[in-house]
DNA sequence: ACCTGAACACCGTTCAAGT
DNA sequence: ACCTGAACACCGTTCAAGT
């Protein structure tokens, strides 16, 4: 059995952490918000792997170890950065329209937001904070799946499939570089045509546009969900 | 313009690396094969993150730095381990049957093989070795997609979608722990029902079986591919 | 020809000392 | 109350020295 204390304890950064105005005025240089913003700023400039604690301290004009008064460890900073980014996912989404186009826009927005921050996303996977806001997108995805007419018992597992595809695919695509993709094309297209005819013929046409491939798979998934929901509705009559 | 030297240079471990019998008899304790096998053995025992160079040296009964005579760096060991695992993917696959069930079996096999070795798989993503064997599964996947009747121009992008789903999803699922999944269930199901009705009602039923969710998404993708291939065939008449 | 081991650079993190 | 900085543990890796 678990209680709220476990949850709070597992996610210290959801405690009331906002420093009061008074405390700010008292001259503190750091806060959780400031640290997370510095982290995101560095990623934007240096890239996803360009962040270490010393670099973060430098960005904040503070000793590298000062942030340990605000976060338990580095992963907690990343997870809070991811939670911060979560809030942006549902921003600028169409509030009206069919379930399919809204779900599509939602998952593409998730990919867009996290593509530049795969490490933060991976940290979030293992931490699961209790948030006041940020999970609107998850609730909405479930709501839209319900709206599709899919049988109730399939909703959790279909949701998971969509989530895995979106997050897994985004993290994976974000790791690739133009060079690594070109290398794969070269290797595949250079394989002996007698033993690997399909690689030899198709290798050159692979990995030209990761976003296009992602949208292709997403649309296939939505096609199948729509068809299955339609079949369910027919059965019910 | 690239030539074979670039490729070889980028992938040193595909040079003729097998030590001759004479060299072996001369009393060498190490070889690329032996090192990769030691790596895989450690992962099997200690888990995916339990491998470091000192541990690897201990496993081999050798100083940690001795392996640098055989591999450029740690990533090269992981990539060769991944390539080694690739050969197992097409083993034990049904050689007959419809394209759909064969493609399904192939991708499930890929997931099974790499689930225990996500780090190796991630190293492979960035290295792209030229292999004598190992890419049978990729060639086969393309062949089966062709067999499905999908229009030729969609084959590369659909292949990428399937690959991204399978690899991204496997790497992502492999990172999760029973504890992290339970934490997500608790957080979601504990959200206020007025603001997050779908999380409150469905949160508990999420993440109960990652393999089932993966198969669900895979079957949805195959559903959609089949339907699209069928529609293409109708159009052509 | 092959392996050893001291050593280096670079991490995340702790904790006693400063102000 | 908050930050500093020396220090530690743990990594991947280099290179001169051993056998």
């Amino acid at each position: 059995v678990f209680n709220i204390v476990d949850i709070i304890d597992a996610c210290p950064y959801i405690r009331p952490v906002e420093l009061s105005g008074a405390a700010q005025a008292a001259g503190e240089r750091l806060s959780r918000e400031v640290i997370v913003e510095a982290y995101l700023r560095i990623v934007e400039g240096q890239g996803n792997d360009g962040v270490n604690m010393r670099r973060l301290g430098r960005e904040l004009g503070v000793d590298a170890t000062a942030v340990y008064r605000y976060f338990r460890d580095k992963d907690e900073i990343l997870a809070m950065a991811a939670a911060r980014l979560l809030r942006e996912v549902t921003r600028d989404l169409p509030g009206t329209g069919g379930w399919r186009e809204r779900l599509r826009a939602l998952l593409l927005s998730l990919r867009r937001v996290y593509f530049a921050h795969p490490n933060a996303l991976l940290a979030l996977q293992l931490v699961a904070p209790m948030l006041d806001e940020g999970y609107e997108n998850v609730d909405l995805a479930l709501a839209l799946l319900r709206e599709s007419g899919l049988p109730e018992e399939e909703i959790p597992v279909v949701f998971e499939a969509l989530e895995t595809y979106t997050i897994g695919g985004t993290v994976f695509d974000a790791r690739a570089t133009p060079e690594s993709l070109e290398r794969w094309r070269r290797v595949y297209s250079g394989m002996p045509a007698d033993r690997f005819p399909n690689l030899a013929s198709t290798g050159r046409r692979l990995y030209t546009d990761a976003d296009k491939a992602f949208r292709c798979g997403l649309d296939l998934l939505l096609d199948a969900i729509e068809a299955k929901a339609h079949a369910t509705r027919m059965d019910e009559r």
Side-chain angles (χ1 to χ4, degrees), chain A:
Chain A
V1 278
F2 302 100
N3 58 42
I4 189 69
V5 175
D6 292 326
I7 297 174
I8 297 291
D9 193 54
C11 320
Y13 58 83
I14 54 139
R15 281 179 241 166
V17 291
E18 286 313 304
L19 296 170
S20 66
Q24 289 275 13
E28 290 158 6
R29 305 161 70 180
L30 293 182
S31 72
R32 301 181 136 249
E33 266 307 314
V34 166
I35 292 167
V36 165
E37 269 159 27
Y39 167 80
L40 291 171
R41 225 180 307 131
I42 297 173
V43 172
E44 199 146 339
Q46 248 74 24
N48 202 52
D49 293 325
V51 190
N52 58 53
M53 300 306 283
R54 284 160 181 85
R55 177 75 186 79
L56 187 62
R58 186 149 41 94
E59 180 77 19
L60 289 160
V62 123
D63 189 87
T65 63
V67 305
Y68 285 93
R69 290 186 60 83
Y70 298 85
F71 290 96
R72 182 181 306 197
D73 55 26
K74 193 189 179 192
D75 270 353
E76 203 180 89
I77 302 175
L78 296 219
M80 190 176 176
R84 161 82 197 281
L85 292 166
L86 263 188
R87 301 195 308 233
E88 294 178 20
V89 171
T90 41
R91 213 184 280 167
D92 302 326
L93 279 188
T96 59
W99 67 268
R100 180 176 173 149
E101 73 184 290
R102 292 182 72 195
L103 189 53
R104 184 175 192 273
L106 174 64
L107 295 175
L108 287 175
S109 172
L110 193 65
R111 177 177 169 93
R112 208 176 311 118
V113 167
Y114 278 124
F115 196 86
H117 300 279
N119 285 353
L121 185 51
L122 288 172
L124 186 64
Q125 178 187 17
L126 301 181
V127 172
M130 185 75 91
L131 298 173
D132 278 340
E133 49 177 344
Y135 295 140
E136 290 81 7
N137 74 84
V138 187
D139 196 79
L140 180 57
L142 287 168
L144 293 170
L145 277 181
R146 288 224 155 77
E147 197 179 317
S148 78
L150 219 52
E152 179 61 28
E153 70 273 14
E154 293 200 22
I155 286 177
V157 75
V158 169
F159 169 82
E160 284 177 62
L162 286 171
E163 185 183 44
T164 297
Y165 175 65
T166 304
I167 298 182
T170 297
V171 170
F172 192 72
D173 288 345
R175 281 177 48 92
T177 65
E179 292 75 29
S180 72
L181 296 174
E182 168 61 18
R183 206 133 76 196
W184 275 108
R185 281 192 296 269
R186 273 200 287 154
V187 166
Y188 280 164
S189 59
M191 297 298 282
D194 53 334
R195 289 176 52 215
F196 301 96
N198 296 280
L199 284 180
S201 69
T202 314
R204 263 278 144 227
R205 283 181 290 148
L206 288 174
Y207 313 127
T208 58
D209 187 340
D211 272 320
K212 184 179 169 192
F214 177 79
R215 273 181 268 115
C216 168
L218 180 56
D219 287 333
L220 288 174
L221 285 166
L222 294 173
D223 279 348
I225 292 169
E226 194 167 33
K228 187 171 267 195
H230 185 257
T232 305
R233 253 179 275 121
M234 292 299 100
D235 280 357
E236 279 169 359
R237 290 186 188 171

